[in-house]
Amino acid sequence: MHDSSEANYGTAKRRWTKRVRFSTAEARRIALAAQGFAPARPPAPSRRHFNALLERLGLVQIDSVNVLVRAHYMPFFSRLGSYPMEWLDEAAYHVRKRQLFEYWGHEASLIRLDLLSYLGWRMRKSATGEGVWGSVRNISKEQPELLRQIETEIRSRGPMSAGQLEKALLGERRTAGWWGWSDCKRAVEWLFWIGRLTTANRRNFERVYDLTERVFPNFRADEISEAEGHRMLIRVAAKALGIATAGDLRDYFRLAPEGGRRGIEELASTGELIQVDVDGWSQPAFLDPKARLPRQLEIKALVSPFDPLLWDRRRAERLFGFRYRIEIYTPAHKREHGYYVVPFLLGNTFVARLDLKADRAASTLRVLSAHYEPAVKPKEIIEPLRGEMAELATWLKLERIVVSKRGNLAGALALSLR
């Protein structure tokens, strides 16, 4: 393909008689467009923009780290700019406006509600112990009576957190184990994993559980076959990724190799995926027939470490030549870039990394370190980066930005903010 082309591949199955090869730059633009970074951000995000992005991404990862902002809020800011976080809260937990549900997608995730039945197979397999953490799986054999008591308690009293259940059922007989989790916490996680309980809402980020049959009365875990579930999840992954290897497609919903392979082969045989090649990729790639290839992309975005664009670190290296490793669990003295490092995407290239912290008590966005990437000219990225940081601070309701001295970009960034 020519690098300045623009195309939509909706008729590709009929048009192409030979396998197509893309340059890395083209694959990068296809992937960014598929991830919702094209067209440019709306001047004022609307519910329509937000809902379209929900539909496109399919799911967002949940993580407990709140140094900057909870992980599931950030992907929408990266693509839309300052949007009301309440929109996501309502989509996830509002009784009448719910568009999402919590379950295991790519790790713990908020997933499009129309995909609930397509994950029933995962719940059925979990009930046999497959794919479940050992400590959680073991509680079902060790304390089956506790599981029954939890369901009875929630059925009679309504939604409850693990802490509330523990107090009601165990009193002072708390038993800490794996990760400090009590038996009650392990039990509710088992019931969540097998689909008997779901997240009704969250209170101070703690899950509040209810019976799945009460929150989603039309859901039937055995309604969709495993094969059909795999095909649908791969379709969603293909739309969100645009162009991807088989491993990329499986990783989006963490599908096992065998089931994922069959699903990809079936979709490729019907033209729902088109096998292509990408320069520098050792594996064949699959293209979503409706993927777009923009001529250029005008992107300015701070991207969370838990963003779908960065989930698969190997894919990020293939697409962007960008090696990213989160250093939260690295001892402080061994960290290269910082604790919670947020890459800065400019155009179609990652150009900088910032270790960010929202100091809410001081109403300050703290830049604990700032580094620019090799071959980047700092003076060309300072102005767009400063603007993006200002918008992030405004969105988080922080009044000022303070830059520490650490990193080769820190001095120029601090100077630009004076």
Side-chain angles (χ1 to χ4, degrees):
M1 298 294 294
H2 190 272
D3 195 57
S4 63
S5 63
E6 178 174 17
N8 180 295
Y9 297 101
T11 59
K13 180 186 174 186
R14 296 190 296 274
R15 289 193 291 111
W16 294 351
T17 57
K18 61 180 180 179
R19 192 139 135 194
V20 173
R21 176 173 290 274
F22 292 93
S23 69
T24 305
E26 289 172 326
R28 189 182 305 150
R29 297 203 304 274
I30 292 170
L32 287 167
Q35 274 285 294
F37 285 100
R41 282 179 181 170
S46 68
R47 290 269 191 169
R48 179 176 60 82
H49 296 114
F50 177 80
N51 289 337
L53 191 52
L54 274 183
E55 199 277 334
R56 171 163 291 284
L57 295 179
L59 75 166
V60 288
Q61 187 175 341
I62 302 169
D63 191 83
S64 61
V65 177
N66 196 26
V67 171
L68 181 65
V69 65
R70 300 281 187 202
H72 49 295
Y73 295 108
M74 190 70 182
F76 298 92
F77 171 80
S78 298
R79 293 154 177 79
L80 300 177
S82 298
Y83 76 99
M85 291 189 211
E86 307 85 72
W87 291 355
L88 185 55
D89 293 335
E90 289 180 357
Y93 306 116
H94 193 284
V95 174
R96 292 185 299 278
K97 299 179 182 179
R98 192 185 291 262
Q99 299 168 262
L100 300 165
F101 70 100
E102 282 195 27
Y103 192 58
W104 297 101
H106 184 96
E107 304 296 337
S109 303
L110 283 167
I111 306 170
R112 262 179 22 207
L113 186 54
D114 61 295
L115 299 177
L116 176 57
S117 293
Y118 292 96
L119 280 159
W121 64 269
R122 180 166 281 174
M123 298 173 189
R124 298 194 301 270
K125 283 200 163 187
S126 296
T128 69
E130 186 173 333
V132 182
W133 299 330
S135 179
V136 173
R137 181 177 62 243
N138 293 343
I139 196 71
S140 66
K141 300 174 183 176
E142 296 167 359
Q143 299 200 46
E145 182 58 31
L146 178 58
L147 304 180
R148 286 190 288 271
Q149 289 176 342
I150 286 171
E151 288 195 73
T152 299
E153 195 75 8
I154 290 177
R155 190 178 300 278
S156 62
R157 295 180 56 180
M160 300 176 74
S161 68
Q164 289 173 318
L165 283 161
E166 186 173 341
K167 186 175 180 180
L169 297 175
L170 302 179
E172 300 301 318
R173 296 180 292 112
R174 188 182 191 279
T175 54
W178 183 71
W179 274 14
W181 280 10
S182 67
D183 288 348
C184 195
K185 174 61 176 174
R186 290 192 294 145
V188 292
E189 286 299 318
W190 167 257
L191 292 168
F192 175 83
W193 219 309
I194 67 173
R196 299 296 294 272
L197 297 182
T198 191
T199 309
N201 55 66
R202 281 185 179 255
R203 187 183 303 123
N204 298 322
F205 199 64
E206 183 182 19
R207 275 186 186 145
V208 178
Y209 300 88
D210 200 355
L211 302 174
T212 302
E213 66 193 54
R214 201 149 57 191
V215 179
F216 305 116
N218 296 323
F219 170 60
R220 300 291 179 271
D222 59 353
E223 183 179 359
I224 301 292
S225 70
E226 181 178 351
E228 189 176 350
H230 277 73
R231 286 192 296 271
M232 175 56 76
L233 298 178
I234 292 166
R235 286 188 192 101
V236 174
K239 180 176 182 177
L241 296 175
I243 190 168
T245 66
D248 298 339
L249 292 169
R250 292 197 310 266
D251 184 68
Y252 206 72
F253 280 93
R254 294 290 168 90
L255 301 176
E258 183 58 27
R261 180 188 60 77
R262 285 197 302 269
I264 291 167
E265 288 176 351
E266 289 165 3
L267 294 178
S269 71
T270 61
E272 292 183 78
L273 290 175
I274 300 166
Q275 190 167 338
V276 298
D277 294 302
V278 178
D279 291 343
W281 290 20
S282 61
Q283 299 291 323
F286 295 89
L287 180 76
D288 171 21
K290 296 181 180 178
R292 292 181 54 236
L293 172 54
R295 290 188 178 90
Q296 62 181 15
L297 291 167
E298 308 249 346
I299 302 170
K300 293 183 294 183
L302 289 163
V303 179
S304 159
F306 299 101
D307 192 285
L309 193 62
L310 291 175
W311 280 346
D312 190 328
R313 312 303 194 202
R314 294 168 301 177
R315 174 176 166 83
E317 288 189 45
R318 268 188 280 116
L319 275 172
F320 302 100
F322 180 72
R323 187 179 188 276
Y324 181 85
R325 298 294 183 270
I326 195 164
E327 298 181 90
I328 288 174
Y329 305 109
T330 303
H333 68 282
K334 293 184 178 181
R335 289 177 193 143
E336 183 179 1
H337 296 105
Y339 179 81
Y340 196 80
V341 176
V342 176
F344 180 51
L345 180 65
L346 185 63
N348 59 12
T349 305
F350 284 105
V351 297
R353 310 173 194 233
L354 287 80
D355 185 11
L356 297 180
K357 177 180 179 178
D359 184 345
R360 295 169 181 88
S363 193
T364 299
L365 176 62
R366 299 198 181 277
V367 184
L368 303 179
S369 74
H371 296 83
Y372 61 84
E373 294 297 292
V376 169
K377 296 179 179 179
K379 64 181 181 180
E380 295 178 357
I381 69 172
I382 285 293
E383 189 59 29
L385 177 55
R386 185 173 67 87
E388 186 66 9
M389 288 172 52
E391 183 161 3
L392 176 64
T394 299
W395 180 57
L396 296 177
K397 298 180 172 59
L398 303 174
E399 297 176 358
R400 63 190 67 83
I401 302 170
V402 174
V403 182
S404 299
K405 295 180 180 180
R406 183 167 181 249
N408 59 10
L409 187 60
L413 188 56
L415 188 62
S416 75
L417 293 167
R418 290 180 183 172

